[in-house]
Amino acid sequence: MQLVIVESPAKAKTIEKYLGKDFKVLASYGHVRDLPPKDGSVRPDEGFAMDWELYRDKQSRFKDIADNAKKADRLILATDPDREGEAISWHVRELLAKRKALPKEVERVTFNAITKQAVTEAMKAPRELDQPLIDAYLARRALDYLYGFTLSPVLWRRLPGAKSAGRVQSVALRLIVDREREIEAFRAQEYWSVAAQMAHDGTDFTARLVRFDGKKLDKLTLGDEGSAMAAKAAVDGARFTVEEVETKPLKRNPAPPFTTSTLQQEAARKLGFSASHTMRLAQTLYEAGAITYMRTDGVQMDMGAIHAARDAIGDRFSPDYVPEKPRFYSSKAKNAQEAHEAIRPTDFKRDRVGSGDEAKLYDLIFKRAMASQMATALLERTTVTMRDPTGQHELRATGQVVKFSGFLAVYQEGFDDSEEDEDGLLPLMRKGDAPAKKSVDATQHFTQPPPRFSEASLVKRLEELGIGRPSTYAATIQTLRDRAYVRMESKRFFPEESGRLLTAFLERFFERYVAYEFTAGMEDELDTVSDGREDWKKLLESFWRDFKPKTEEVMEKKPSEVTEVLDEFLSDFLFPERADGHEPRWCPQCDAEGRDGGRLALRGGKYGAFVACANYPECKYTRQFAQPGGSGEGAEEDAVLGEDPETGLPVERKTGRFGPYVQLGEGKEAKRASIPKDLDDFDLEWALKLLSLPRIVGTHPETGKEIEAAIGRYGPYLRHDGKYGKLSSTQEVFEVGMNRAVDILAQAANRGGGRAKAEPIKTLGEHPTSGGEMKVMPGRYGPYVTDGTTNATIPKDVKPEDLSEAQAIELIDARAAKGPAKKKRKAPAKKKAPAKKASAKKPAAKKAPAKKEAKA
């Protein structure tokens, strides 16, 4: 028997069909072991020795691999063709050798697509494991471990509230924070433009003023309304005739097929997908044999695919759309290795695959790959220049027309934050023509700050700088969001206060290690390791020699010293200029109570950083910073909003550990209510509304029982007779009427009664045995997969969103085979001993037998 190891069961199932009866294909389900998340897993003093631990939920699966390996004559490691795939194969080989289950013949095969041809050809060309690639993996894993496990304890002790730092993660965060600083420092400039709406031979067009009083106009030349109106009047009062008509041919060439990075960028622009969602879909398409391997920085297709693409173009379009020679591409990205093909369809005859988001992503990949081999698009750009009789004022109109669409017939690349080309059609005009002037407009504009990063533009910037690897960008971005260092609004990244604080700490105390050049340089060195040109342990020694002493140096600093440095570094952000004329660090509470010397500063506490007054303990003023609920506009100062008209008690806005809240009264009798995030203009009226909850909507027409509207831990809701319905906003809590409330409760009941059922994380196909639809669901004790009959827990090392259909079937079948969960039997109630007579003699107490120790 020949044993083949791959990562996923879907891949295993497909490959086994291609190989025949002599082969058995088993899945490792990704990585089988990792460094234990504890101190000492990497030991620099012992030559960077590393301890590995088999995942607990992989033990039974790996036992199956080991049992089959003992019976096999040959082991074929067929994991993915990249650094991670090589690492998984290495781990499998090492574990089998440790268990004395390694067959005599061990070989490595790789294929770029899961098709019969690709797999069978790969089997004919086996090789040894690539040791330099494994060394690069070991170096990267050790670097990330040493960075995180050495720096994180420093954060916990010197920057309370900080969660973690990562080698690439912290630099990506710095990019987002730096962009926010640019935006805050930006000062908008006013400028005006003047344009005439004109017509000629029945066609309307727009002409811009480009010269005024004999001077060429730049973007900011007309800087105020007065100069703009003078220019408008000059255009309004003059007659313009055509002086020049210039027509230029333009050529546009197609973009290369997708790499991992460009696929993530384009899927974000055109489909609105996150990087992680794009990679999950691409993984599914790859395992289904629809596309080539999706983790690549290569932009070239193999010759067979190029010819197939050209044939498909010829079948769909006229011969003009097939260029005379095939197109060849090379990557412009920093650190690109181009070891693998670009991402492309495995079959150019299949223009549709899958459904839903999978189908959308496949369509994008298919069209981009096909367009990359299509003819150049031919365009014509026309520029018409018009002047008044004095020659002092000049108007210009531009237009663009596509003469031959070429690749544009299939695909047009998207761009971030780019101004649209003027591609409107112009009427045919000749020198001496005098187009009719219908109106003249002077329009005010303001210069714009640099845009915040979207997922697409962040991925693009990371790749440009050579930071990290495209295959890790999705995980890096997700970590920043999971740690609440950033948030997404309108598909743009905003740094949270906690993210700004962490970045400030790292910039002040670990500046070298969050420098863009250092991180990019580390990637270059890792590439030299994977090429076999550098020893991986020497790379680690060089890093550790400086990094370890630096962490010890910072650890010796007092928390107050750290806070003092951060207070100065963040002063412009924490204490901006005040519109009321007060000094930025002015303390409102000291001022209100007539106390001198009230000056605010950053302080550190048990739960993180906060702003406090120098007059503490006399002044107990505090302002939350970089803690839950402390970011953004909602992080306002504590204040008295007014008095409750019914009780006369003060209504205060405060900030606690879990965010902002309002309070009525003092002490144990005080009433409190959290302030929801969806309230923009918070005032006394809103505070009194929140404190009045729950609100009685009315009496249910069927049961006669009251319907309540309130806000709970999971947001606004309705409650009636022990059943719940979800409301969409805080506003709706106070506006929902009886008819709407009854309808919401009825809908919730139809979804399963009681509380509204949780939405599935992912929906899969039907289970082959039970016929029930398989769904990945969130559960009280973690995510699980169900077919409606059997619930199976999802292993901790498998992301619920990444669970494939084959994995779901295996988990459900394994759980069903164990039978129903056994309910714990309650111990019978102890019978009371009968009451004894007072004269009865007590028996001697028996010595309790010694308890046996539980076996380990």
Side-chain angles (χ1 to χ4, degrees):
M1 180 189 71
Q2 301 185 62
L3 179 64
V4 182
I5 303 298
V6 296
E7 293 94 337
S8 77
K11 189 174 172 182
K13 191 176 179 181
T14 306
I15 291 170
E16 200 161 49
K17 290 178 187 175
Y18 301 150
L19 295 180
K21 294 179 181 178
D22 187 42
F23 292 85
K24 186 172 182 65
V25 186
L26 294 178
S28 69
Y29 287 83
H31 275 282
V32 292
R33 63 177 187 172
D34 197 6
L35 297 170
K38 61 182 181 182
D39 286 336
S41 294
V42 179
R43 298 184 297 283
D45 296 339
E46 298 175 30
F48 297 95
M50 301 163 80
D51 290 334
W52 302 97
E53 185 177 78
L54 181 67
Y55 290 121
R56 285 185 181 180
D57 57 346
K58 294 286 178 71
Q59 291 185 11
S60 62
R61 288 205 183 99
F62 198 80
K63 184 179 182 300
D64 187 31
I65 291 173
D67 289 344
N68 279 278
K70 287 175 183 176
K71 296 179 279 184
D73 305 313
R74 180 185 178 211
L75 175 67
I76 302 167
L77 300 165
T79 49
D80 288 343
D82 61 2
R83 198 178 279 146
E84 290 301 307
E86 207 73 18
I88 292 170
S89 286
W90 176 77
H91 280 301
V92 169
R93 186 189 70 178
E94 293 297 296
L95 272 171
L96 289 175
K98 192 175 180 181
R99 296 189 179 197
K100 297 180 180 178
L102 196 65
K104 288 181 181 179
E105 196 177 346
V106 179
E107 291 176 325
R108 173 87 166 106
V109 300
T110 58
F111 33 82
N112 198 41
I114 305 175
T115 62
K116 187 170 185 177
Q117 182 183 351
V119 172
T120 52
E121 285 181 2
M123 289 294 174
K124 295 174 187 174
R127 61 169 173 82
E128 295 288 318
L129 280 169
D130 188 333
Q131 193 58 48
L133 210 54
I134 294 164
D135 289 345
Y137 159 78
L138 294 172
R140 188 181 293 275
R141 191 68 196 87
L143 268 176
D144 291 341
Y145 172 90
L146 291 171
Y147 189 103
F149 272 81
T150 309
L151 186 53
S152 291
V154 179
L155 294 177
W156 302 333
R157 291 177 177 85
R158 295 296 173 263
L159 194 70
K163 295 181 177 73
S164 70
R167 187 175 59 87
V168 176
Q169 163 200 322
S170 299
V171 180
L173 176 61
R174 184 186 171 186
L175 274 172
I176 295 169
V177 171
D178 280 352
R179 178 57 56 88
E180 198 67 22
R181 289 173 185 156
E182 288 179 57
I183 292 168
E184 290 166 355
F186 180 82
R187 296 292 176 264
Q189 274 188 275
E190 179 186 8
Y191 69 98
W192 291 70
S193 64
V194 175
Q197 305 305 316
M198 309 187 83
H200 186 71
D201 288 345
T203 302
D204 293 343
F205 65 96
T206 301
R208 294 176 294 110
L209 180 66
V210 295
R211 189 177 292 273
F212 174 56
D213 280 344
K215 295 179 182 177
K216 182 183 176 183
L217 295 182
D218 292 323
K219 183 177 180 179
L220 302 176
T221 303
L222 302 177
D224 54 55
E225 187 176 8
S227 59
M229 291 306 163
K232 178 180 182 291
V235 174
D236 236 341
R239 181 177 182 272
F240 286 84
T241 56
V242 175
E243 295 291 331
E244 297 170 19
V245 178
E246 184 182 27
T247 300
K248 282 185 178 180
L250 290 177
K251 291 183 178 181
R252 286 182 62 184
N253 289 315
F258 284 129
T259 62
T260 301
S261 168
T262 54
L263 177 63
Q264 291 173 5
Q265 292 172 47
E266 199 75 334
R269 295 185 194 112
K270 290 185 180 292
L271 304 176
F273 292 171
S274 68
S276 56
H277 186 54
T278 297
M279 294 311 292
R280 281 196 296 272
L281 295 171
Q283 178 83 38
T284 305
L285 290 170
Y286 167 66
E287 290 179 357
I291 63 170
T292 52
Y293 192 55
M294 66 287 162
R295 293 188 181 91
T296 175
D297 49 19
V299 291
Q300 188 55 273
M301 299 196 297
D302 74 25
M303 282 308 298
I306 289 173
H307 290 311
R310 287 168 63 86
D311 289 345
I313 295 163
D315 291 342
R316 288 179 170 220
F317 301 94
S318 68
D320 294 339
Y321 285 83
V322 184
E324 186 179 337
K325 295 179 182 178
R327 293 184 181 276
F328 298 98
Y329 298 92
S330 59
S331 179
K332 296 177 183 176
K334 190 176 180 183
N335 288 334
Q337 295 177 5
E338 301 193 71
H340 309 303
E341 268 193 276
I343 303 168
R344 62 165 176 84
T346 55
D347 184 356
F348 278 96
K349 293 175 184 175
R350 295 173 71 190
D351 58 356
R352 288 185 181 83
V353 169
S355 60
D357 286 354
E358 279 179 26
K360 291 176 185 176
L361 190 69
Y362 180 81
D363 183 63
L364 201 68
I365 294 167
F366 181 90
K367 287 178 176 176
R368 172 83 165 225
M370 178 175 276
S372 74
Q373 289 300 319
M374 290 180 72
T376 299
L378 303 177
L379 301 91
E380 190 174 79
R381 189 172 183 81
T382 302
T383 303
V384 178
T385 303
M386 293 166 279
R387 297 190 185 97
D388 73 330
T390 67
Q392 294 293 296
H393 312 313
E394 186 177 299
L395 295 175
R396 185 174 296 156
T398 57
Q400 189 169 281
V401 63
V402 176
K403 306 294 282 186
F404 171 66
S405 60
F407 76 92
L408 292 176
V410 172
Y411 188 86
Q412 186 162 356
E413 188 179 13
F415 295 95
D416 291 299
D417 313 309
S418 61
E419 294 181 9
E420 291 185 13
D421 292 333
E422 295 174 68
D423 53 5
L425 290 173
L426 291 178
L428 180 64
M429 289 182 276
R430 296 179 180 85
K431 186 175 181 180
D433 285 346
K437 183 159 36 57
K438 298 171 76 173
S439 64
V440 180
D441 304 310
T443 309
Q444 184 186 36
H445 309 274
F446 291 93
T447 54
Q448 296 298 309
R452 291 181 175 88
F453 285 111
S454 62
E455 279 214 14
S457 56
L458 180 61
V459 164
K460 185 179 180 182
R461 188 64 182 137
L462 286 168
E463 188 176 36
E464 286 172 349
L465 292 170
I467 293 168
R469 275 270 161 253
S471 58
T472 65
Y473 291 158
T476 298
I477 290 168
Q478 191 59 48
T479 299
L480 293 178
R481 296 175 71 172
D482 291 345
R483 297 276 188 271
Y485 290 145
V486 299
R487 69 182 187 277
M488 289 290 278
E489 289 184 15
S490 302
K491 297 184 179 181
R492 298 282 169 169
F493 286 107
F494 288 72
E496 296 284 18
E497 288 178 350
S498 56
R500 295 189 74 134
L501 183 66
L502 173 61
T503 300
F505 175 83
L506 294 173
E507 283 184 282
R508 297 307 293 159
F509 297 102
F510 294 92
E511 185 177 9
R512 179 188 177 196
Y513 300 99
V514 287
Y516 303 139
E517 300 81 10
F518 173 82
T519 310
M522 189 64 72
E523 291 298 333
D524 289 337
E525 287 195 69
L526 287 165
D527 285 342
T528 62
V529 171
S530 64
D531 292 343
R533 290 179 285 130
E534 184 174 354
D535 182 85
W536 67 280
K537 289 187 179 181
K538 286 184 179 177
L539 184 153
L540 291 175
E541 284 168 6
S542 174
F543 167 78
W544 189 246
R545 191 185 306 121
D546 298 325
F547 185 68
K548 180 60 175 173
K550 185 65 179 175
T551 58
E552 291 170 347
E553 176 194 321
V554 176
M555 192 67 102
E556 288 173 5
K557 294 184 181 293
K558 295 177 182 177
S560 57
E561 291 178 306
V562 172
T563 309
E564 188 177 330
V565 171
L566 295 178
D567 174 76
E568 182 181 349
F569 187 75
L570 291 166
S571 60
D572 289 344
F573 175 68
L574 288 170
F575 312 107
E577 293 294 325
R578 299 181 64 98
D580 58 11
H582 285 295
E583 194 265 332
R585 291 177 181 263
W586 167 77
C587 174
Q589 194 163 318
C590 281
D591 186 67
E593 295 172 2
R595 199 166 28 242
D596 293 331
R599 195 168 184 273
L600 302 180
L602 186 68
R603 296 285 183 265
K606 184 178 179 182
Y607 301 114
F610 63 96
V611 173
C613 181
N615 281 336
Y616 179 84
E618 288 81 11
C619 176
K620 291 185 171 58
Y621 174 88
T622 59
R623 190 176 82 213
Q624 193 176 17
F625 178 70
Q627 296 174 40
S631 292
E633 296 175 5
E636 296 175 11
E637 299 172 358
D638 292 358
V640 176
L641 298 173
E643 286 187 357
D644 177 21
E646 292 185 11
T647 64
L649 293 171
V651 178
E652 298 174 272
R653 185 198 189 284
K654 296 191 171 189
T655 303
R657 182 183 174 189
F658 301 108
Y661 65 95
V662 284
Q663 178 174 305
L664 175 64
E666 295 290 340
K668 292 182 180 179
E669 303 301 318
K671 192 172 183 181
R672 299 177 181 86
S674 293
I675 300 174
K677 290 182 179 180
D678 61 347
L679 295 180
D680 295 326
D681 300 315
F682 191 76
D683 53 16
L684 177 62
E685 182 183 354
W686 267 114
L688 292 171
K689 280 184 175 183
L690 293 173
L691 290 164
S692 70
L693 293 175
R695 167 184 167 241
I696 306 300
V697 179
T699 303
H700 197 288
E702 294 177 8
T703 65
K705 295 181 179 180
E706 289 181 337
I707 299 174
E708 289 181 352
I711 300 171
R713 183 180 177 185
Y714 302 108
Y717 66 91
L718 290 169
R719 179 171 57 198
H720 163 255
D721 196 20
K723 295 184 174 68
Y724 296 80
K726 189 177 181 181
L727 294 174
S728 61
S729 66
T730 301
Q731 192 90 21
E732 196 173 13
V733 173
F734 301 96
E735 294 177 353
V736 66
M738 178 59 70
N739 292 339
R740 172 75 175 139
V742 171
D743 184 46
I744 290 171
L745 289 165
Q747 288 180 32
N750 289 335
R751 288 194 296 266
R755 289 187 182 273
K757 282 189 176 180
E759 291 295 317
I761 297 170
K762 185 177 183 180
T763 302
L764 303 162
E766 290 185 358
H767 189 278
T769 307
S770 69
E773 185 181 39
M774 295 184 293
K775 295 178 182 178
V776 179
M777 302 293 294
R780 184 179 177 186
Y781 303 107
Y784 65 94
V785 62
T786 181
D787 63 349
T789 306
T790 304
N791 297 347
T793 303
I794 296 172
K796 287 183 180 178
D797 65 314
V798 176
K799 287 188 177 180
E801 309 88 32
D802 294 343
L803 192 76
S804 68
E805 194 168 302
Q807 285 176 293
I809 293 168
E810 183 174 339
L811 289 170
I812 290 169
D813 288 350
R815 182 67 192 86
K818 293 179 181 178
K822 293 179 180 177
K823 292 184 179 179
K824 291 182 179 179
R825 293 180 63 185
K826 289 185 179 179
K830 291 181 179 179
K831 292 181 180 179
K832 289 184 179 179
K836 295 179 181 178
K837 293 179 182 178
S839 59
K841 202 173 183 180
K842 288 183 180 179
K846 288 184 180 180
K847 191 175 181 181
K851 289 184 179 178
K852 290 183 181 179
E853 287 188 9
K855 288 183 181 179

